[in-house]
């Protein structure tokens, strides 16, 4: 059944990772006459979010600007739920789309559910099996999964996780991960205009001839002893003459205070301000190995043939571990250093990870999602 008016889809996000993974979907929706795409950002992350919006050419229709220093999760949840509810009351969307596992995504889904608006979940079905690792993301995505209308699972593993939770198989679609769409897009842009990512030239010159380890870290469950251990591991890595560490340091003071205290002034460590998306893609390109507690890096780095060591005890992306593109190393100092040195010194070990098949998609996820959404509402092109 076709309809005579475009379907209004409110896309809700608030952090840099969400923006990266949703801008290809926003672009596809806006290019399709079957849809009226509206964008609401919470700005749960402010500066890092704005970088992606600018690069992707997205001007939000609504901006809640909720970011405050050291706000508690319950305070953040309250302001998100009420703020997003007001936007939905004003827009009256036909559907709401969220991505991943943030507080913004969870509150966007809950506010839509309270209004009986169907919720579509991009990157659905990720599960670690431990509600405190990652925390609070594991519970956020389980909450979203309990009320979503359409589940866009990135892999068969994610689909199976949803089916084990008794989600209707007809509501689950394997699309790959939109982060691969985004990485292909920005890589092509950088190839056309290298100046987009020229800000790392000084670091590249400084570390010419060294083997670069890229690091990202921001997970709440690593705050405290975990961050201290990560900092100590980086100190030991950087003591090796042929190694350099490039570390864009997250703005969260629980990360920043530890890393600045432990690592500032080391010859082989570059502590950078958070990178915009083109420069982060460039870091993935120049790094030999990525050391991270992030989720997205587990998907992005393998697309460029870079091994990923994950500083967590569990991962909701077991596909990478199973495929051999990622390895869990936790936050034990000795294990982190040993695993990095093995990859640096054992060519066969490195190649087995670098050449493993990336299980997270082929760069067509956004288009698949839009077509599945069109099919769901019965619209005809």
């Amino acid at each position: 059944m076709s309809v005579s008016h475009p379907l209004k889809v409110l896309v809700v996000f608030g952090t840099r990772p969400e923006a990266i993974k949703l801008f290809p979907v926003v672009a596809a929706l806006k290019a399709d006459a079957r849809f009226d795409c509206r964008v609401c950002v919470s700005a749960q992350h402010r500066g890092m979010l704005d970088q992606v919006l600018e690069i992707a050419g997205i001007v939000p229709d609504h901006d809640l600007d909720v970011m405050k220093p050291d706000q508690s999760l319950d305070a953040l949840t309250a302001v998100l739920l009420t703020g997003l509810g007001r936007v939905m009351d004003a827009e009256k969307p036909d559907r709401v789309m969220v991505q991943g596992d943030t507080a913004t995504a969870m509150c966007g889904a809950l506010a839509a559910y309270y209004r009986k608006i169907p919720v579509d979940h991009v990157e659905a079905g990720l599960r670690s099996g431990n509600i405190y690792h990652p925390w609070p993301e594991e519970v956020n995505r389980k909450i979203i999964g309990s009320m979503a209308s359409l589940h866009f699972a990135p892999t068969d593993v994610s689909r199976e996780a949803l089916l084990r939770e008794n989600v209707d198989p007809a509501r689950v679609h394997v699309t790959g991960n939109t982060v691969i769409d985004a990485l292909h897009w920005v890589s092509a842009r950088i190839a056309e205009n290298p100046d987009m990512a020229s800000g790392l030239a000084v670091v590249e010159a400084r570390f010419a001839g060294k083997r670069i380890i890229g690091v990202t870290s921001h997970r709440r469950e690593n705050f405290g002893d975990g961050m201290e251990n990560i900092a100590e591991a980086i100190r030991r890595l950087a003591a090796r003459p042929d190694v350099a560490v490039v570390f864009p340091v997250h703005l969260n003071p629980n990360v920043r205070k530890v890393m600045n205290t432990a690592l500032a002034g080391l010859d082989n460590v570059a502590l950078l301000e958070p990178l915009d998306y083109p420069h982060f893609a460039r870091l993935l390109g120049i790094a030999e190995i990525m050391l991270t507690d992030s989720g997205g890096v587990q998907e992005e780095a393998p697309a460029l043939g870079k091994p990923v060591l994950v500083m967590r005890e569990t991962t909701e992306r077991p596909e990478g571990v199973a495929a051999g593109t990622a390895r869990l190393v936790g936050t034990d100092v000795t294990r982190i250093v040993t695993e990095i040195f093995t990859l640096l010194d054992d060519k066969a070990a490195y190649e087995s990870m670098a050449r493993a098949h990336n299980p997270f998609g082929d760069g067509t996820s956004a288009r698949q999602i839009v077509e599945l959404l069109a099919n769901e509402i019965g619209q005809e092109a």
Side-chain angles (χ1 to χ4, degrees):
M1 180 180 69
S2 63
V3 298
S4 58
H5 62 278
L7 189 92
K8 182 183 282 191
V9 179
L10 179 67
V11 182
V12 174
F13 55 94
T15 66
R16 167 193 160 119
E18 288 169 288
I20 289 171
K21 292 183 176 184
L22 280 175
F23 83 71
V25 183
V26 170
L29 286 169
K30 286 184 175 290
D32 194 318
R34 294 172 291 184
F35 298 97
D36 174 13
C37 178
R38 310 285 285 173
V39 173
C40 175
V41 299
S42 71
Q44 183 181 333
H45 295 170
R46 180 77 271 173
M48 293 186 286
L49 168 71
D50 290 344
Q51 293 171 356
V52 180
L53 294 176
E54 181 178 356
I55 292 160
I58 295 175
V59 178
D61 301 286
H62 303 272
D63 189 333
L64 300 183
D65 197 23
V66 302
M67 183 176 176
K68 293 181 181 178
D70 292 323
Q71 63 185 327
S72 66
L73 285 173
D74 47 5
L76 175 62
T77 298
V79 72
L80 284 169
L81 189 59
T82 54
L84 291 168
R86 285 193 296 271
V87 170
M88 292 178 199
D89 289 341
E91 286 285 358
K92 295 181 170 54
D94 297 300
R95 303 183 78 88
V96 168
M97 181 176 289
V98 299
Q99 186 278 330
D101 53 23
T102 67
T104 295
M106 186 271 288
C107 290
L110 189 57
Y113 168 74
Y114 285 161
R115 289 155 180 82
K116 297 185 178 180
I117 301 169
V119 176
D120 302 312
H121 190 197
V122 177
E123 197 183 66
L126 276 63
R127 298 290 186 271
S128 72
N130 184 331
I131 64 171
Y132 295 109
H133 291 276
W135 173 83
E137 290 85 359
E138 178 77 358
V139 165
N140 286 344
R141 52 183 166 242
K142 286 172 70 70
I143 291 171
I144 299 167
S146 70
M147 65 185 82
S149 172
L150 291 178
H151 306 255
F152 299 120
T155 67
D156 288 328
V157 171
S158 301
R159 179 179 185 274
E160 291 302 317
L162 290 165
L163 299 187
R164 286 194 299 271
E165 295 174 2
N166 296 317
V167 174
D168 180 356
R171 318 304 298 168
V172 183
H173 303 279
V174 178
T175 62
N177 199 302
T178 56
V179 76
I180 308 302
D181 301 38
L183 186 60
H184 287 178
W185 179 87
V186 77
S187 297
R189 291 282 301 277
I190 292 170
E192 294 170 0
N193 180 15
D195 287 345
M196 286 181 66
S198 62
L200 288 180
V202 172
V203 171
E204 293 181 50
R206 173 183 167 188
F207 294 147
K210 292 187 182 292
R211 306 173 77 178
I212 292 175
I213 311 299
V215 179
T216 71
S217 184
H218 71 278
R219 286 287 178 186
R220 288 176 184 265
E221 66 264 28
N222 283 340
F223 290 174
D225 290 345
M227 283 294 159
E228 297 285 352
N229 288 349
I230 291 167
E232 176 59 24
I234 292 170
R235 286 182 63 86
R236 295 189 192 181
L237 292 171
R240 178 167 158 157
D242 64 337
V243 166
V245 175
V246 179
F247 187 171
V249 183
H250 198 278
L251 295 174
N252 191 301
N254 292 291
V255 180
R256 206 155 253 240
K257 290 175 185 175
V258 173
M259 298 306 166
N260 286 340
T261 299
L263 304 175
L266 294 183
D267 289 343
N268 283 5
V269 177
L271 298 179
L272 308 180
E273 291 300 307
L275 299 176
D276 65 19
Y277 190 44
H279 285 92
F280 183 72
R282 178 62 182 166
L283 174 58
L284 291 177
I286 65 174
E288 194 161 331
I289 301 165
M290 288 301 298
L291 180 64
T292 187
D293 63 12
S294 167
V297 178
Q298 297 175 53
E299 301 151 349
E300 293 164 309
L304 299 180
K306 304 304 170 75
V308 184
L309 297 184
V310 184
M311 297 180 292
R312 289 161 60 180
E313 300 303 325
T314 61
T315 179
E316 65 282 16
R317 293 167 173 85
E319 302 92 335
V321 176
T325 61
R327 184 172 300 147
L328 290 171
V329 297
T331 57
D332 179 79
V333 175
T334 300
R335 184 168 184 201
I336 292 171
V337 174
T338 299
E339 294 278 5
I340 291 279
F341 284 0
T342 296
L343 290 175
L344 292 174
D345 296 331
D346 185 335
K347 184 176 181 180
Y350 184 91
E351 292 295 334
S352 71
M353 293 188 74
R355 294 182 178 177
H357 170 70
N358 183 10
F360 295 108
D362 61 3
T364 63
S365 301
R367 189 68 249 168
Q368 292 181 56
I369 287 168
V370 170
E371 287 305 320
L372 287 165
L373 188 56
N375 291 340
E376 169 70 10
I377 61 174
Q379 296 202 89
E380 298 174 355

